[in-house]
């Protein structure tokens, strides 16, 4: 919990690796996943680093594995086997064996694929030729009938029969969808001098390039002359039609068909053997591809990390710098010792802590529950180092503020059940819809949705709102009291007397018991015509009280930050003025709300005397009060004087915060500067003493020690990073002061969105009930069931689509804004950077899901 509250205590470490043991030690640190290495070669090009060749070899192995994986995926009958539960990084010596094995496997598979493609291409050509020979018989029979005189021919005056024309022909196969355009192009180019006959191939043929089934058509073109033949061939090439040789005589076609059938049978046998060989290669590879991916990616990550190290002068060891949690240094040392032992080296790696003024990274230990809430905070900004993390408080405040705006127990129940389903089926659903981005968003925030639903049920019970209807669980505190002869038909509106103390002499009837409804809003308000006026007043005041409580809590957290970092000037000249201003104006407003609730009841006198708190707050700034004009409107005695004192003290906080801290910082800097001058003079004096001839060794050693200690103190004081700029500090403090005091007013008004969205959600829910579901409920028994069944579907669709999704998203965004701006601005800077450890687990997860980076 302490890690989540402030983040881990981090330290900068320097590690000396023996060259032979560096690979094994880095592998062990990668398995541990608690070290973030720094790049010690930022100016060196990536292609000029020491282990760039090893990284390239790993990338080449990755390419081969991706090729194998893609080939396995094409075979739907073969399933990839998951990687081993613990896949350790291979030793550096094993790289050559892995390269050889993958290269041989890739070569065998490529050779099998090329043979398969060639065989499939030949098989397709033989199939097309077989269909051409089969379909061509019909075409040539028709041509023979034309040439033998079945059609009338022209005769000359000599009564001699004209010799029939000798036609040339081309036979081929074309895709079926291209036939109409192919026929049209032939007609236009050849001017109708070509005779085209087509016949569809009944069975679909497999295309060897795409491995898809395609429908094709056999065609034969009859033409006369070489010029038409050239044109027809070019058109066939343009439409990607395949032309095959076809004999003219039936006997030759029959003989060729027998040869084609024989070759098809032989080719089918060879093709099946080739496919079986390919399948066996892929089946064996599928057992190890995931494991090989894991090993190669770990190896690549190790060499990529080692490229960030520095070489020692003698090139016998590597020097690395890393950030690590302080409480994990023991585990890191054990991992280094284990890596050294596995490498066979006798020289242990050396781990040293380094002193630095650089800001360390921020590291929070998270689990599946807290990760979603931490992401909400990190979207605003990463916590500064050791700054209070808002995530633990967001776990409660975020779903609560959402529920205040989404207060409906029925809608909260649906949301809770959906989130509970995702939580209980977490393992099965985790990797089920990886490509669905919307689902991944919902699944990642399943615990947030669960808490939002549960809190919505709670606030819905307080509002007494379940699908826009109220529940009378404890019995209403109101009753309709009338005389026996009262005629209800003559009235449309009946006023209930809210005064629990009635005057019996005036024949007043007690309608309010004087005891509030035990929990939440009394169900009688659902029937009243002034329901909106009542709920508006109640929710508006609740919104202001909740907002001021959260802002005050943010100021308390800022105090903890100031004390932790030792910023006492910020405590006295920021925190105290801020608390006084917020307390004397806005906390006082909350007190007036509670006093008004307690003091004024439902009697007519109290109703007339109850002051308007918004007008009262405005009058405070003008040193006026409603009690000055009418004493019955006073909340307490001496109210006017107290309010004037509060306003004066609150206004005095503005110059205190504006000028106090810059003046204190200037005086502190001036005092340090004067002490620095004195230190420099003392150092110069001690240097002169040390240069004198001293016979005593003890005196000489003492003078040397004093000189060195004074020099170190002066160097610490004259740190070039600590530069004081009074103008910059004054401008920054001025901006901070204006932002806070104006923000107190705007942020308080901003919390009224809790009331506004709650009202909108309740009214929209009531509209859906009244205009849709109520139609079925008001119908008769027989047709009412059918009508209810028909109207329930649109009511449920609108409830889920509009109220749960759209209204839920709106409430989520408004709750997000209240946390980022109104709450976190009081104490949270968010100027840090994330701790990104060298972890094999994270590297493998990112490689498996590259779209989620």
């Amino acid at each position: 919990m302490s890690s989540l509250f402030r983040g881990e205590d981090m330290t900068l470490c320097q590690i000396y690796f023996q060259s032979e043991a560096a690979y094994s030690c880095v592998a062990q640190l990668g398995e541990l996943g608690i070290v973030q290495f720094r790049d010690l070669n930022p100016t060196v090009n990536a292609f000029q680093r020491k282990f760039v060749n090893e990284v390239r070899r790993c990338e080449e192995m990755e390419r081969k594995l991706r090729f194998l994986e893609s080939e396995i995926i094409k075979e739907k009958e073969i399933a990839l086997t998951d990687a081993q539960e613990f896949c350790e990084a291979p030793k550096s010596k094993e790289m050559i064996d892995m390269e050889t094995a993958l290269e041989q496997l890739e070569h065998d598979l490529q050779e099998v694929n090329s043979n398969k493609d060639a065989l499939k291409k030949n098989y397709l050509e033989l199939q097309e030729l077989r269909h051409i020979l089969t379909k061509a018989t019909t075409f040539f029979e028709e041509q023979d009938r034309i040439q033998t005189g079945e059609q009338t021919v022209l005769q000359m005056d000599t009564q001699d029969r004209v010799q029939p024309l000798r036609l040339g022909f081309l036979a081929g196969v074309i895709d079926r969808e291209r036939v109409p355009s192919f026929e049209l192009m032939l007609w236009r180019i050849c001017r109708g001098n070509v005779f085209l006959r087509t016949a569809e191939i009944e069975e679909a043929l497999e295309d060897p390039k795409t491995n898809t089934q395609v429908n094709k058509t056999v065609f034969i073109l009859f033409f006369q002359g070489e010029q038409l033949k050239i044109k027809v061939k070019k058109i066939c090439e343009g439409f990607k039609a395949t032309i095959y040789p076809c004999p003219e005589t039936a006997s030759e076609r029959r003989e060729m068909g027998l040869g084609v059938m024989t070759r098809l049978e032989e080719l089918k046998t060879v093709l099946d053997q080739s496919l079986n060989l390919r399948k066996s290669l892929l089946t064996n590879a599928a057992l190890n591809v995931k494991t090989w991916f894991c090993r190669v990616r770990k190896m690549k990550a190790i060499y990529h990390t080692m490229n960030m190290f520095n070489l020692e002068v003698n090139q016998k060891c590597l020097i690395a710098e890393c950030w690590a949690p302080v409480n994990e240094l023991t585990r890191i040392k054990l991992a280094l010792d284990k890596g050294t032992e596995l490498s066979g080296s006798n020289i242990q790696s050396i781990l040293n802590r380094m002193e630095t003024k650089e800001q360390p990274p921020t590291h929070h230990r998270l689990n599946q529950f807290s990760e979603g809430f931490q992401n909400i905070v990190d979207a605003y900004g990463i916590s500064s180092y050791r700054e209070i993390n808002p995530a633990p408080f967001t776990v409660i405040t975020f779903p609560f503020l959402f529920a205040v705006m989404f207060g409906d127990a029925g809608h909260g129940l649906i949301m809770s059940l959906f989130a509970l389903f995702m939580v209980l089926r977490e393992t099965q659903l985790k990797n089920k819809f990886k490509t669905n981005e919307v689902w991944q968003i919902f699944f990642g925030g399943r615990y947030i949705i669960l808490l939002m639903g549960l809190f919505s049920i709670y606030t819905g019970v307080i509002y007494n709102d379940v699908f826009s209807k109220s529940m009378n669980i404890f019995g209403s505190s109101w009753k309709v009291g009338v005389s026996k002869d009262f005629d209800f038909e003559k009235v449309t509106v009946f006023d209930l007397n809210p005064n629990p103390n009635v005057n019996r002499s005036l024949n007043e009837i007690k309608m309010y018991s004087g005891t509030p409804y035990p929990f939440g809003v009394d169900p009688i308000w659902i029937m009243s015509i002034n329901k909106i006026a009542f709920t508006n007043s109640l929710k508006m005041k609740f919104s202001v009280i909740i907002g001021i409580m959260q802002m005050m809590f943010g100021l308390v957290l800022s105090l903890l930050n100031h004390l932790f970092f030792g910023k006492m000037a910020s405590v006295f000249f920021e925190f105290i003025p801020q608390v006084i201003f917020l307390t004397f104006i806005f906390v006082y407003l909350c007190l007036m709300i509670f006093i008004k609730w307690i003091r004024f009841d439902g009697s007519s006198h109290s109703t007339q005397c109850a002051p308007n708190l918004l007008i009262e707050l405005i009058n405070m700034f003008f040193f006026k009060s409603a009690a000055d004009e009418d004493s019955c409107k006073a909340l307490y005695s001496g109210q006017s004087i107290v309010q004037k004192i509060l306003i004066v003290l609150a206004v005095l906080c503005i110059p205190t915060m504006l000028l106090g801290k810059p003046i204190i910082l200037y005086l502190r800097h001036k005092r340090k500067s004067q002490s620095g001058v004195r230190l420099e003079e003392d150092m110069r004096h001690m240097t002169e003493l040390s240069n004198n001839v001293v016979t005593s060794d003890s005196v000489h050693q003492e003078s040397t020690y004093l000189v060195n200690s004074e020099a170190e103190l002066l160097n610490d004081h004259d740190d070039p990073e600590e530069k004081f700029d009074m103008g910059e500090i004054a401008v920054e403090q001025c901006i901070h002061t204006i932002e806070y005091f104006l923000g107190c007013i705007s942020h308080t008004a901003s919390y009224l969105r809790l009331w506004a969205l709650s009202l909108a959600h309740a009214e929209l829910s009531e509209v859906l009930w009244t205009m849709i579901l109520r139609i079925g409920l008001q119908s008769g028994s027989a047709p009412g069931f059918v009508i209810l069944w028909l109207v329930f579907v649109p009511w449920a669709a609108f409830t889920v689509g509009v109220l749960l999704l759209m209204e839920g998203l709106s409430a989520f965004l408004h709750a997000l804004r209240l946390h980022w701006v109104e709450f976190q601005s009081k104490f949270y800077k968010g100027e840090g950077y994330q701790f990104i450890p060298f972890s094999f687990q994270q590297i493998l997860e990112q490689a498996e899901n590259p779209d989620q980076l």
Side-chain angles (χ1 to χ4, degrees):
M1 182 62 186
S2 59
S3 168
L4 188 61
F5 183 69
R6 281 200 181 274
E8 290 283 349
D9 187 13
M10 308 295 291
T11 183
L12 182 63
C13 298
Q14 190 177 51
I15 306 177
Y16 289 85
F17 297 104
Q18 193 68 18
S19 297
E20 296 81 6
Y23 180 91
S24 298
C25 292
V26 173
Q28 294 301 316
L29 293 177
E31 298 290 352
L32 202 60
I34 54 175
V35 170
Q36 177 180 339
F37 288 100
R38 301 174 65 189
D39 191 358
L40 302 182
N41 308 299
T43 59
V44 180
N45 190 290
F47 300 101
Q48 297 176 346
R49 304 201 177 193
K50 179 175 178 57
F51 301 99
V52 63
N53 291 329
E54 286 78 1
V55 173
R56 286 177 176 173
R57 291 164 65 185
C58 292
E59 289 178 347
E60 179 63 18
M61 285 191 287
E62 268 192 302
R63 182 196 63 78
K64 295 175 182 178
L65 287 173
R66 284 194 297 269
F67 167 71
L68 291 175
E69 186 180 32
S70 63
E71 293 295 318
I72 294 172
I73 293 175
K74 292 178 183 178
E75 296 289 338
K76 298 181 180 180
E77 299 178 357
I78 303 177
L80 287 169
T81 305
D82 293 334
Q84 299 175 2
E85 185 174 353
F86 180 72
C87 169
E88 61 180 7
K91 298 180 180 180
S92 57
K93 300 177 181 179
E94 297 178 6
M95 177 182 283
I96 298 177
D97 297 336
M98 292 182 64
E99 283 181 315
T100 304
L102 291 177
E103 185 176 359
Q104 182 63 38
L105 185 58
E106 182 191 29
H107 178 266
D108 294 343
L109 188 58
Q110 286 179 342
E111 186 176 357
V112 170
N113 285 342
S114 61
N115 293 335
K116 180 203 67 171
D117 294 340
L119 291 173
K120 280 190 172 184
K121 183 179 180 182
N122 294 335
Y123 188 76
L124 176 64
E125 291 175 352
L126 290 175
Q127 280 185 310
E128 291 177 347
L129 180 57
R130 178 172 60 86
H131 285 291
I132 288 175
L133 296 175
T134 303
K135 302 293 183 181
T137 303
T138 305
F139 299 152
F140 282 106
E141 286 178 355
E142 294 180 358
Q143 183 187 16
D144 292 340
R145 286 197 299 269
I146 294 174
Q147 293 181 351
T148 56
E150 292 184 8
Q151 298 182 1
T152 305
V153 295
L154 296 177
Q155 296 182 357
M156 303 300 292
D157 294 339
T158 59
Q159 302 297 321
D160 294 333
R161 188 177 298 273
V162 178
Q163 295 294 330
L165 297 175
R166 187 69 177 176
L167 299 178
F169 69 92
L170 288 177
V173 176
I174 190 172
D175 290 344
R176 188 174 298 175
E177 62 270 11
R178 295 181 180 177
V179 171
S181 55
F182 178 64
E183 187 174 358
L184 181 61
M185 184 63 67
L186 287 171
W187 177 265
R188 289 181 176 179
I189 298 298
C190 301
R191 302 181 182 274
N193 294 320
V194 173
F195 180 63
L196 173 66
R197 294 302 305 273
T198 60
E200 295 182 355
I201 300 177
E202 292 79 8
E203 61 177 337
L205 304 179
E206 183 180 358
D207 188 351
K209 294 182 180 179
T210 61
N211 293 325
T212 57
Q213 300 293 323
V214 293
N215 295 314
K216 294 193 174 185
T217 299
V218 174
F219 67 89
I220 293 183
L221 290 167
F222 296 96
F223 52 85
Q224 183 181 19
E226 288 296 325
Q227 292 184 352
L228 281 179
K229 183 177 181 180
I230 295 174
K231 290 181 180 181
V232 166
K233 283 187 175 181
K234 290 184 178 180
I235 295 173
C236 291
E237 292 177 0
F239 281 86
K240 297 182 179 180
T242 308
I243 299 175
Y244 292 94
C246 182
E248 294 186 14
T249 63
S251 59
E252 291 178 351
R253 289 195 299 270
R254 191 179 304 108
E255 183 180 355
M256 179 179 285
L258 293 175
V260 169
M261 292 299 296
T262 304
R263 291 175 60 190
L264 277 174
E265 292 177 359
E266 296 175 353
L267 198 58
K268 177 66 175 175
T269 304
V270 177
L271 182 60
D272 290 340
Q273 293 176 354
S274 177
L275 292 176
N276 291 333
L277 177 59
R278 181 177 184 273
K279 187 175 181 180
S280 82
L281 286 175
L282 294 178
T283 302
N284 295 331
L287 300 175
N288 301 312
V289 165
K290 291 290 186 180
T291 303
W292 288 338
F293 261 125
C294 175
R295 293 166 64 85
V296 170
R297 284 166 178 165
K298 285 186 176 183
M299 183 183 294
K300 178 184 174 183
I302 293 172
Y303 283 118
H304 179 73
T305 302
M306 292 173 64
N307 275 332
M308 297 190 291
F309 299 168
N310 265 342
L311 273 173
E312 194 253 346
V313 178
N314 297 328
Q315 297 188 354
K316 293 184 178 180
C317 67
L318 296 173
I319 305 173
E321 292 183 4
C322 62
W323 293 105
V326 174
N327 57 2
E328 296 287 356
L329 292 180
T330 303
R331 293 178 61 196
I332 294 173
K333 181 61 178 174
L334 292 176
L336 293 175
D337 294 341
K338 183 178 179 181
T340 304
E341 181 181 353
L342 292 176
S343 66
S345 176
N346 297 324
I347 302 177
Q348 298 291 331
S349 300
I350 302 174
L351 176 66
N352 295 326
R353 293 184 63 177
M354 299 175 62
E355 297 294 333
T356 179
K357 293 186 177 180
E358 183 181 349
Q359 180 181 354
T362 301
H363 175 45
H364 301 292
R365 294 187 184 274
L366 304 173
N367 53 31
Q368 293 180 345
F369 177 79
S370 59
E371 184 177 5
F373 295 97
Q374 187 64 54
N375 290 336
I376 291 177
V377 176
D378 291 345
Y380 175 83
I382 305 299
S383 304
S384 301
Y385 179 64
R386 303 292 286 168
E387 181 183 28
I388 288 180
N389 181 24
F393 316 108
T394 305
V395 172
I396 301 299
T397 59
F398 185 85
F400 176 72
L401 292 185
F402 172 87
V404 172
M405 295 179 280
F406 196 78
D408 190 296
H411 299 156
L413 179 62
I414 296 175
M415 185 178 293
S416 300
L417 292 177
F418 172 67
L420 189 62
F421 167 75
M422 292 191 291
V423 171
L424 296 178
R425 303 292 298 273
E426 182 176 315
T427 306
Q428 296 89 331
L429 298 175
K430 185 175 183 180
N431 299 321
K432 193 169 185 179
F433 304 101
K434 286 185 177 181
T435 58
N436 193 325
E437 186 176 356
V438 176
W439 166 258
Q440 289 297 325
I441 293 174
F442 280 105
F443 185 76
R446 57 194 178 278
Y447 292 102
I448 301 176
I449 298 174
L450 178 61
L451 286 184
M452 291 192 305
L454 295 177
F455 275 87
S456 296
I457 296 175
Y458 170 73
T459 55
V461 174
I462 291 180
Y463 295 157
N464 206 343
D465 197 350
V466 182
F467 296 116
S468 77
K469 295 299 165 186
S470 296
M471 299 180 297
N472 191 5
I473 300 176
F474 304 103
S476 176
S477 300
W478 296 75
K479 66 178 180 178
V480 179
V482 295
S483 59
K484 296 181 180 180
D485 56 349
F486 185 83
D487 189 1
F488 283 97
E489 296 180 356
K490 295 182 179 180
V491 295
T492 56
V493 179
F494 186 82
D495 293 332
L496 298 182
N497 183 9
N499 189 4
N501 303 316
V502 297
N503 192 344
R504 300 292 182 179
S505 62
L506 298 177
N507 295 326
E508 291 183 355
I509 301 175
K510 186 175 181 180
M511 300 182 183
Y512 176 56
S513 63
T515 304
Y517 193 70
F519 190 81
V521 178
D522 197 299
I524 193 68
W525 288 104
I526 194 65
M527 304 170 59
S528 64
I529 61 174
N530 60 339
K531 169 191 172 184
I532 295 180
F534 168 75
T535 54
N536 273 357
S537 176
L538 180 66
K539 293 179 179 180
M540 185 185 300
K541 293 179 174 63
F542 276 158
S543 301
V544 173
I545 294 172
I546 291 172
I548 293 173
M549 288 175 60
Q550 189 175 30
M551 289 193 293
M552 182 61 72
F553 180 62
L555 290 180
V556 173
L557 294 180
S558 71
L559 172 63
L560 299 180
N561 271 336
H562 296 328
L563 295 176
F564 181 82
F565 293 110
K567 299 179 179 180
M568 299 309 297
S570 298
V571 173
F572 290 105
F573 296 102
E574 282 188 0
F575 170 73
I576 293 179
Q578 289 174 353
V579 170
I580 292 175
F581 184 85
L582 188 64
T583 302
F584 286 1
I585 296 180
F586 298 101
V587 175
Y588 177 71
L589 174 62
C590 296
L591 292 176
M592 288 195 295
I593 292 175
F594 286 107
I595 293 174
K596 182 179 178 180
W597 281 344
I598 296 171
R599 180 167 181 179
F600 298 97
D601 54 16
S603 62
S604 58
H605 175 73
S606 297
T607 304
Q608 294 175 358
C609 291
N612 188 318
L613 298 183
L614 180 60
I615 301 300
E616 188 69 22
L617 180 65
I618 296 174
N619 287 336
M620 282 180 60
F621 291 91
F622 295 98
F623 296 97
K624 296 191 300 182
S625 175
D628 298 337
E629 301 176 358
D630 190 352
S631 59
C632 75
K633 293 187 177 182
L635 298 173
Y636 56 89
S637 59
Q639 177 183 353
S640 179
I641 297 175
V642 171
Q643 291 180 172
K644 292 177 181 178
I645 295 174
L646 294 180
I647 285 295
V648 171
L649 294 177
V651 172
L652 289 177
C653 292
I654 299 177
T656 302
M657 183 176 174
L658 179 64
L659 302 175
K661 185 176 179 180
I663 292 175
I664 292 298
L665 294 179
Y666 173 75
L667 295 177
R668 183 182 299 172
H669 173 71
K670 187 176 181 180
R671 183 170 61 252
K672 287 184 178 180
S673 300
Q674 292 175 354
S675 63
V677 173
R678 290 196 298 270
L679 285 174
E680 187 177 358
E681 292 177 354
D682 294 342
M683 187 185 70
R684 187 182 304 112
H685 177 67
M686 296 303 297
T687 303
E688 292 176 356
L689 290 177
S690 63
N691 291 332
N692 294 331
V693 179
V694 183
T695 57
S696 175
D697 293 339
S698 61
V699 175
H700 178 70
Q701 292 176 358
E702 181 179 1
S703 62
T704 304
Y705 170 77
L706 290 175
V707 170
N708 293 335
S709 61
E710 293 291 346
E712 291 176 359
L713 185 59
L714 187 60
N715 289 335
D716 290 342
H717 175 78
D718 292 338
D719 186 1
E721 296 182 1
E722 297 181 0
K723 295 183 179 180
F724 183 82
D725 189 346
M726 184 61 185
E728 181 179 351
I729 292 176
V731 171
E732 181 181 355
Q733 188 66 19
C734 180
I735 295 173
H736 184 51
T737 303
I738 296 173
E739 179 188 11
Y740 175 77
F741 290 109
L742 294 181
C744 283
I745 301 172
S746 64
H747 292 174
T748 303
S750 179
Y751 276 97
L752 292 177
R753 70 184 70 236
L754 299 174
W755 150 64
L757 266 75
S758 175
L759 174 65
H761 186 84
E763 291 303 311
L764 190 57
S765 178
E766 186 173 359
V767 167
L768 289 180
W769 181 282
T770 304
M771 299 187 66
I772 299 180
L773 197 61
R774 191 176 181 181
I775 299 174
L777 295 174
Q778 288 181 340
S779 303
S781 58
F785 176 78
V786 178
I787 296 176
L788 181 61
W789 182 78
L790 293 175
V791 300
F792 177 80
V793 175
W795 176 80
F798 278 112
T799 298
V800 174
V802 177
L803 293 179
L804 288 179
L805 292 180
M806 296 179 61
E807 283 285 319
L809 178 61
S810 176
F812 181 90
L813 294 176
H814 283 284
L816 201 63
R817 180 245 155 75
L818 290 176
H819 277 78
W820 283 355
V821 180
E822 279 71 23
F823 175 53
Q824 292 180 187
S825 63
K826 301 296 183 293
F827 68 97
Y828 186 67
K829 291 184 178 180
E831 297 176 350
Y833 62 98
Q834 189 71 45
F835 175 70
I836 305 176
F838 171 62
S839 170
F840 286 149
Q841 181 180 358
Q842 294 184 8
I843 292 172
L844 295 178
E845 288 178 356
Q846 291 175 0
E848 291 291 334
N849 304 303
D851 297 334
Q852 298 182 10
L853 296 180

